[in-house]
Amino acid sequence: MATQLESDSKRPIRSYVIRAGRLTVSQRRAIDLYWQRYVIDYAAEPLQLDSVFSTNTKLIVEIGFGMGDSLLHMARQDPASNFIGIDVHRPGVGKLLQGIAAHELGNLKIICHDAKEVMQHCFCAQSIDRLLILFPDPWPKKRHHKRRLVQSDFIALITKKLKAGAEVHLATDWQAYAEQMMEVMEATDELTNQMGSAQYWQEPHRPQTKFERRGMRLGHGVWDLLFSKVG
Ligand SMILES: C[S@@+](CC[C@H](N)C(=O)[O-])C[C@H]1O[C@@H](n2cnc3c(N)ncnc32)[C@H](O)[C@@H]1O
């Protein structure tokens, strides 16, 4: 039987569409100059975290950082933790590389590859302290719902990679997706809603994101969810 990670024809269902072009000169330059230093090239094998970072400390992972402003902010605010951002959007990778280099951050690295494959292969079980998925593509049309990142098998996969007590923070500006997130998260055995059963996080601790600002301009609401892995 096909899982949500693959279609009936065995072609994987992607939660993103790569759009060609659109790299600015400075993003291209940052990719050329800083890729080797701050991007971890994808390989379908567990990361050796002690060779990626100079300190062995808390690991925070953001899936789908977009242009990376909020991830950069979090990494600057919390130099005692290590951060890995995963995204496939090259302009965002270029923009984030500019920020990492400008602040000479040693605690933030990027993986530019499909997060489903990265989560499957690159992280050992019980290795992540906090995982964020902020404003994933909402795929509003019914025929595209299968492309949504937050589905039960993906959440089961990431849950395995969390340490006991680790937190998962999700946010969306799309109510129907928030409800789907809540249903999937509440149904995942090893996760507990930190806000109480079926409750959203009303005053989330996180920077505002670019996609969130866009949603607000369009009059959308915002829903945050905070779950932790049962210890
Ligand atoms: C709607 S944007 C939100 C970006 C950012 N979190 C924000 O709030 O501004 C979603 C991002 O997730 C990325 N994305 C979607 N599916 C992904 C996947 N499977 N692997 C890696 N990145 C993915 C997209 O490239 C895009 O940058």
Side-chain angles (χ1 to χ4, degrees):
M1 197 175 83
T3 70
Q4 287 163 335
L5 297 179
E6 56 185 23
S7 69
D8 292 342
S9 63
K10 299 288 180 208
R11 269 214 330 259
I13 297 169
R14 300 288 186 206
S15 57
Y16 56 86
V17 176
I18 303 230
R19 291 182 181 82
R22 303 250 182 116
L23 270 180
T24 65
V25 172
S26 56
Q27 289 161 359
R28 158 63 49 210
R29 190 166 170 273
I31 285 177
D32 290 344
L33 286 177
Y34 307 124
W35 183 283
Q36 241 184 326
R37 195 144 142 217
Y38 298 114
V39 176
I40 305 166
D41 285 319
Y42 171 76
E45 58 192 41
L47 283 174
Q48 301 303 319
L49 288 171
D50 47 0
S51 58
V52 171
F53 296 107
S54 58
T55 52
N56 177 8
T57 177
K58 258 172 62 176
L59 179 64
I60 301 175
V61 174
E62 180 172 6
I63 293 175
F65 56 76
M67 297 310 283
D69 311 35
S70 49
L71 179 55
L72 183 70
H73 181 85
M74 290 187 282
R76 291 187 64 202
Q77 294 296 307
D78 184 6
S81 296
N82 290 328
F83 290 78
I84 294 180
I86 307 167
D87 207 303
V88 289
H89 181 59
R90 287 207 166 217
V93 171
K95 174 90 190 309
L96 183 54
L97 283 172
Q98 283 175 334
I100 299 174
H103 298 287
E104 297 183 350
L105 294 186
N107 67 331
L108 171 54
K109 305 282 179 189
I110 297 172
I111 303 179
C112 182
H113 193 80
D114 187 339
K116 290 182 182 175
E117 292 176 12
V118 174
M119 292 310 299
Q120 197 161 0
H121 299 292
C122 301
F123 294 100
C124 298
Q126 306 199 41
S127 60
I128 298 173
D129 291 272
R130 188 177 180 86
L131 189 131
L132 301 103
I133 311 178
L134 303 179
F135 303 92
D137 299 277
W139 294 108
K141 291 183 184 151
K142 192 155 198 282
R143 69 190 155 89
H144 287 150
H145 284 182
K146 57 181 182 283
R147 285 176 171 269
R148 287 179 173 169
L149 204 49
V150 180
Q151 314 263 358
S152 50
D153 56 355
F154 186 61
I155 295 300
L157 170 68
I158 64 173
T159 301
K160 281 194 207 131
K161 311 296 171 149
L162 300 176
K163 290 182 186 166
E167 291 182 330
V168 189
H169 182 176
L170 308 180
T172 181
D173 65 339
W174 198 256
Q175 184 168 4
Y177 199 8
E179 288 161 5
Q180 174 176 333
M181 288 177 173
M182 186 61 86
E183 200 176 314
V184 167
M185 299 295 280
E186 291 272 351
T188 305
D189 278 347
E190 285 179 288
L191 296 178
T192 308
N193 190 337
Q194 288 299 284
M195 298 299 129
S197 178
Q199 299 300 308
Y200 293 96
W201 191 8
Q202 301 299 342
E203 290 177 15
H205 303 159
R206 61 168 175 79
Q208 206 176 47
T209 79
K210 187 169 181 216
F211 201 78
E212 176 178 18
R213 279 193 290 279
R214 174 187 169 276
M216 288 169 87
R217 281 197 300 275
L218 295 171
H220 297 179
V222 173
W223 293 265
D224 281 75
L225 295 81
L226 184 69
F227 280 70
S228 66
K229 183 166 170 177
V230 177

